[in-house]
Amino acid sequence: MTASPARERANQRRWTVLLPVVGLIGLGVCGLVLLGLGTSRIGAGPILVGAVAALVPVVAVLSAFLWVDRWEPEPAKILLLAFAWGACGATITSLVFNQTAHVLGELINDGDGSTFAAVVGAPIVEEATKAAFVIALFLRRRDEFDGVVDGIVYAGVTAAGFAYTENIYYFARVFVDSGFGDLSSGVVALFVLRGVLSPFAHPLFTAMTGIGVGIASMTANRKLRVVAPVLGYLGAAGLHSLWNFSTTVGTGTTFINLYFLIMVPLFAGMVWLVVWQRRREQRIVAGQLPEMAARRWIAASEVTLLASLQGRRRWRRAVRRKVGDQAARAVAGYQVAATELAFLRHRMEQGTAGADAGERHSALLEALVAARQAAVDAPGALKAAGGVRRS
């Protein structure tokens, strides 16, 4: 006897709630294991110094990705799970396999496994463990991906978590050897290298995989759905390998050349890609809003306000000033609901929304109606839009 559709949906919602909680608990255990390993080998004091030093670059990196993710902010619990996987799950998995790569390198290179582990083993393993979360999320929750920007955000947040844990250990070990030091040695010198010059290194590598997954989410071509993430992963591992080669095998000149001739232009290209894709997202939303207004899901007077980030920001600011924070939050929820429905309708038109698109459309439409009602129920929230410039 098969379960009814209603029961299946209830079970799916239950697992949607439980899985992140179970995942965070498991990753928390991994984090405790890593903490225990670190304090036993290096000491609690150096680990604390490393954690504080690593906090500055990771806050900057996460802030940048959250700024990028403004059109349709990804669920906070999934972003938290992505960061936790990178900081704990991917790190401890990579630690195990990196040790194996080191032993293999000793067999290949006559007793010296460090070079093989750094240039070959670490890039392959670390980019695979970071990519695992993004790929699993795409397979399990494909509706969370609307394009390349979402892939970059999930990959970047995962890599930021990985880099945070890695930086803690690097800073802690240098503190034990050289103390705080100065610009030429110690924690200060390492902070300049990892916290100022290259805080986006790991996110930039893994963003290649994110781009591949983002492309897969946008196409109906089955081959491209497989090939794009694979090519993205190979690009991530290749860049990571070049970076590790320049810092371990190459000279200072090798690192400078790689940094300015490859990494800086690549980072600039990534920024350009994000800006271009955000404009694409704006065009998608703006293109869907008139039809949504014609169907009376939203008010015609709100189309222009919803069609740009500037218009949305001015709307929330006006509501907050005239009515208060609660009303502004209600308007923000309404804006997000309208965006999610617009993206889904676009994917349905492109044939990339999946077999359950109709059911998700109904659910998002209900969410939009509920969000707008919440804004209506907040006294003056929608009326405050009357004083907002619509250009």
Side-chain angles (χ1 to χ4, degrees):
M1 181 177 181
T2 59
S4 66
R7 179 172 295 180
E8 289 181 358
R9 288 194 295 270
N11 290 334
Q12 185 175 6
R13 286 194 296 269
R14 188 179 300 113
W15 279 110
T16 300
V17 173
L18 287 177
L19 281 176
V21 175
V22 174
L24 285 174
I25 292 173
L27 293 174
V29 173
C30 292
L32 291 175
V33 172
L34 288 171
L35 179 62
L37 290 173
T39 53
S40 64
R41 293 181 180 181
I42 304 174
I47 289 293
L48 180 60
V49 170
V52 173
L55 191 62
V56 177
V58 78
V59 168
V61 170
L62 288 176
S63 298
F65 281 112
L66 292 178
W67 180 83
V68 167
D69 188 37
R70 290 189 298 165
W71 260 116
E72 185 202 7
E74 307 308 320
K77 62 182 180 182
I78 297 182
L79 292 178
L80 177 61
L81 195 59
F83 184 85
W85 169 256
C88 302
T91 305
I92 199 167
T93 305
S94 297
L95 184 63
V96 173
F97 283 98
N98 282 343
Q99 292 297 322
T100 304
H102 193 280
V103 173
L104 181 61
E106 290 179 342
L107 297 176
I108 295 174
N109 200 26
D110 195 21
D112 181 14
S114 58
T115 300
F116 178 85
V119 179
V120 179
I124 292 175
V125 170
E126 292 176 8
E127 292 309 321
T129 57
K130 287 182 288 182
F133 179 87
V134 185
I135 298 295
L137 181 63
F138 175 67
L139 295 176
R140 179 69 181 175
R141 299 280 296 274
R142 185 180 167 188
D143 55 298
E144 296 295 343
F145 289 82
D146 296 304
V148 169
V149 171
D150 289 344
I152 291 175
V153 168
Y154 283 123
V157 171
T158 304
F162 186 95
Y164 177 63
T165 301
E166 186 179 72
N167 280 341
I168 291 175
Y169 279 86
Y170 276 119
F171 286 130
R173 289 193 311 188
V174 168
F175 179 74
V176 170
D177 294 336
S178 307
F180 286 107
D182 51 30
L183 290 176
S184 61
S185 65
V187 174
V188 173
L190 186 61
F191 181 83
V192 172
L193 176 62
R194 298 185 68 88
V196 178
L197 294 179
S198 58
F200 283 92
H202 270 290
L204 185 60
F205 305 150
T206 313
M208 299 296 112
T209 304
I211 291 173
V213 175
I215 292 173
S217 72
M218 297 164 56
T219 181
N221 188 311
R222 293 185 178 182
K223 291 183 179 179
L224 187 57
R225 287 179 190 171
V226 176
V227 171
V230 171
L231 291 179
Y233 165 73
L234 293 177
L239 282 174
H240 197 156
S241 180
L242 280 175
W243 179 266
N244 284 4
F245 177 86
S246 71
T247 57
T248 57
V249 180
T251 63
T253 302
T254 306
F255 173 77
I256 293 298
N257 289 338
L258 175 75
Y259 185 81
F260 286 103
L261 296 180
I262 297 180
M263 300 304 292
V264 171
L266 191 61
F267 180 76
M270 184 68 67
V271 172
W272 174 84
L273 177 64
V274 168
V275 171
W276 176 51
Q277 285 296 308
R278 279 186 46 172
R279 289 176 179 171
R280 167 188 169 272
E281 290 182 344
Q282 179 177 1
R283 291 194 297 270
I284 288 173
V285 174
Q288 293 293 331
L289 290 174
E291 176 66 18
M292 292 166 63
R295 293 175 179 268
R296 297 188 178 182
W297 297 337
I298 63 175
S301 60
E302 296 162 2
V303 168
T304 307
L305 291 174
L306 290 167
S308 70
L309 289 174
Q310 294 84 355
R312 294 177 177 213
R313 185 168 56 249
R314 286 195 294 264
W315 185 1
R316 294 193 303 271
R317 190 178 300 158
V319 171
R320 184 175 293 106
R321 184 176 63 252
K322 295 180 180 180
V323 186
D325 290 339
Q326 182 177 353
R329 286 193 294 270
V331 169
Y334 172 48
Q335 292 173 345
V336 170
T339 304
E340 290 180 343
L341 184 59
F343 276 136
L344 176 60
R345 290 177 62 80
H346 173 76
R347 292 200 303 272
M348 292 173 68
E349 291 175 356
Q350 300 297 312
T352 61
D356 62 339
E359 183 178 345
R360 286 191 287 119
H361 187 280
S362 299
L364 287 178
L365 181 57
E366 291 179 7
L368 175 66
V369 172
R372 194 174 194 283
Q373 187 60 48
V376 170
D377 291 341
L382 297 184
K383 291 181 180 179
V388 179
R389 289 185 292 121
R390 299 174 184 269
S391 59

